[in-house]
Amino acid sequence: MLPGVELEVRHLRALCAIADTGSVHKAARQLGMTQPSLTTQLRRIEQAVGGQLFTRQRTGSKPTPLGRTVLTRARPIVAQMTELVREAKDAAGLGPGGPGARLRLGSTGSRAVPGWLRRLHERLPERDITFQTDVSANTLLRMVAGNQLDAAFVHEVEGSPLRVPDGVELRVLVRREPQFVAVPEPHPAARAGRAVALVELADQKWMVDPSVDGDWDGLRRVFADAGVDPRIVYGDYLSAGDLVAAGEVVTPCQPTSQPRPGMSIVPLEGDPLGVRLVVGFRRGTGLGEEGDAVFAALRASYEAVAWSSPAYARWLTTPDSVRGDLHPDPRSSIAGQADFSLSGD
């Protein structure tokens, strides 16, 4: 170790974050740092241990053999320190249920999140509620397992199961949510207000975010089943909307997505792409009644955004003769549906 350079728990936590996310950029976002700051910190850590800990590859940052050795020792230290802080807060009356206690939530992103947080502030006015997003559902579940989050609202793409850590249990919010597609307004399906077949979009460029767990694998399977091989553009879903509106790409999207000028949201014919929406909690150390409040607030918010989304509301009320599924009266709860239902199981 170089003179004057000492490793601290925050350094070990940074190494674990880089390894878990596979990216210095994502790790910096998770840790609330800038990427240059984390890069500088990584260099100092590598100086301290005397060697390179990560290699930058096309697929992200990968631990070197030395890095794997250091991580093997770092992870239990970080976990023990996190548990020590939690136990200390519990003893001080600041743990779950204590006065001024913090409720730490995460999500991969959904229009239901703002309403979820608003409802929780109303239900639990004494709690300090914090929130963070990450495109990786697996990262958020690891944070739940590591006591960095109390609950995480994430999605699981069909055919790409989540890697659920030991000690984390899932509560199912929606058993199967169909994924729609955002298309430019000039597209015939947008003008007709109907579901679009994948073959109709085979000549379009599709934008997909490869950093979202399961999305690219799921879409690739759907393309293979439909016998199409469209051009793929890699990007992020935040910028995809502008490119769709400009007529450059189409992109898969959540059915709760709202249309915007130049862009329409339409279902895919046959609903070939679906996800399961779940909330991850720590097993055995859950939030008890507050966990029920977290789940109930999310369910209420999701139902509200589902029925307020024009394309989704039409999908939910399509006659059985067209879709072949069971549908309730549009004024009833989504929870009454057959293959698309809210669940507390």
Side-chain angles (χ1 to χ4, degrees), residues 7-299:
L7 289 183
E8 302 175 10
V9 173
R10 64 187 177 93
H11 296 140
L12 303 183
R13 198 182 303 279
L15 295 180
C16 293
I18 296 171
D20 289 342
T21 62
S23 162
V24 174
H25 172 72
K26 292 179 185 177
R29 183 172 57 185
Q30 177 179 307
L31 296 167
M33 304 172 60
T34 65
Q35 182 172 340
S37 296
L38 182 55
T39 299
T40 300
Q41 188 176 98
L42 176 59
R43 291 197 189 102
R44 290 174 178 168
I45 297 170
E46 291 177 329
Q47 289 175 349
V49 300
Q52 186 176 3
L53 299 177
F54 293 91
T55 59
R56 176 167 291 182
Q57 304 175 5
R58 184 176 59 84
T59 54
S61 297
K62 302 296 182 183
T64 63
L66 175 61
R68 289 192 291 270
T69 299
V70 173
L71 285 165
T72 299
R73 299 293 299 273
R75 291 189 187 280
I77 294 173
V78 171
Q80 290 168 14
M81 181 58 68
T82 300
E83 185 65 14
L84 185 153
V85 172
R86 185 190 68 79
E87 291 178 358
K89 287 184 176 180
D90 288 345
L94 298 177
R102 180 172 295 175
L103 180 60
R104 303 159 301 171
L105 305 176
S107 173
T108 48
S110 167
R111 284 188 59 237
V113 166
W116 181 30
L117 297 177
R118 175 177 56 78
R119 286 172 169 83
L120 279 177
H121 284 301
E122 294 171 353
R123 288 172 179 254
L124 308 171
E126 75 286 356
R127 297 299 294 266
D128 176 17
I129 299 174
T130 63
F131 181 79
Q132 71 178 75
T133 62
D134 196 292
V135 296
S136 171
N138 289 307
T139 294
L140 291 171
L141 293 180
R142 285 193 296 266
M143 293 179 70
V144 173
N147 196 28
Q148 296 171 277
L149 291 175
D150 297 305
F153 171 37
V154 300
H155 72 280
E156 179 182 61
V157 180
E158 283 180 335
S160 299
L162 293 172
R163 297 186 294 275
V164 182
D166 292 339
V168 173
E169 61 183 9
L170 303 180
R171 293 183 66 177
V172 179
L173 181 77
V174 177
R175 294 190 182 98
R176 188 180 194 273
E177 179 193 70
Q179 298 302 281
F180 288 2
V181 60
V183 301
E185 278 188 346
H187 193 277
R191 295 197 300 269
R194 60 173 174 82
V196 61
L198 277 171
V199 293
E200 296 179 69
L201 300 172
D203 61 344
Q204 301 288 314
K205 287 182 289 186
W206 283 72
M207 175 169 278
V208 62
D209 188 341
S211 64
V212 179
D213 294 334
D215 271 25
W216 174 218
D217 288 338
L219 193 60
R220 185 162 45 196
R221 283 191 294 271
V222 168
F223 289 153
D225 291 342
V228 299
D229 187 22
R231 292 169 292 173
I232 302 299
V233 177
Y234 297 109
D236 65 84
Y237 292 137
L238 291 177
S239 61
D242 291 333
L243 292 173
V244 172
E248 293 294 326
V249 300
V250 300
T251 187
C253 65
Q254 298 171 13
T256 52
S257 300
Q258 288 282 34
R260 52 184 288 185
M263 180 181 80
S264 292
I265 308 297
V266 297
L268 286 169
E269 190 175 275
D271 304 320
L273 188 61
V275 304
R276 184 173 69 141
L277 302 182
V278 298
V279 181
F281 296 92
R282 279 190 307 285
R283 183 181 294 115
T285 57
L287 301 173
E289 292 183 0
E290 289 196 345
D292 293 336
V294 167
F295 194 81
L298 179 57
R299 173 161 40 194

